[in-house]
Amino acid sequence: MDQRLSLITLGVADLGRARAFYEEGLGFTKDNDEDDIVFYQLPGLVLALWTREGLAADAAVEDTGAAFSGITLAQNVGSPDEVDAVIEQARTAGARVLKPAREAEWGGYSGYVADPDGHLWEIAHNPFWTVHEDGRTTLR
């Protein structure tokens, strides 16, 4: 298997609410015609929103409704000020701020928010990684 992440699918409770959060709140653009699933083309990666029921059925798992799924998503940005701005943008769009941004023990600056369905996003500035103009994050 290649060392690559191509698609992240989030199982959401209310697809309309999730779309409003990602599109109206965060400015993402839907990139497909289907009504029951949403795809957003990100730099080098696709993010999908689907109902929890649909996702659980597709994966052949039972949806236990656990409060924490063990998955976080992350967006790396170019500076601590950008971290603060993105967290505020997410909060204004309906996210809950779980951990306000602060200096991290690993040498960067980060905070955590939860989208309306409880999916965790870390917003971080890692001074040891590079965020390119096209949005790609590289480890050097």
Side-chain angles (χ1 to χ4, degrees), residues 80-96:
D81 287 341
E82 287 181 72
V83 171
D84 293 334
V86 171
I87 287 176
E88 179 57 22
Q89 180 182 2
R91 187 197 61 75
T92 300
R96 288 179 297 122

Side-chain angles (χ1 to χ4, degrees), residues 98-123:
L98 302 175
K99 178 182 162 187
R102 60 180 173 236
E103 296 293 325
E105 64 184 48
W106 45 266
Y109 183 80
S110 75
Y112 279 85
V113 299
D115 75 7
D117 285 285
H119 298 291
L120 304 185
W121 280 83
E122 178 188 22
I123 311 301

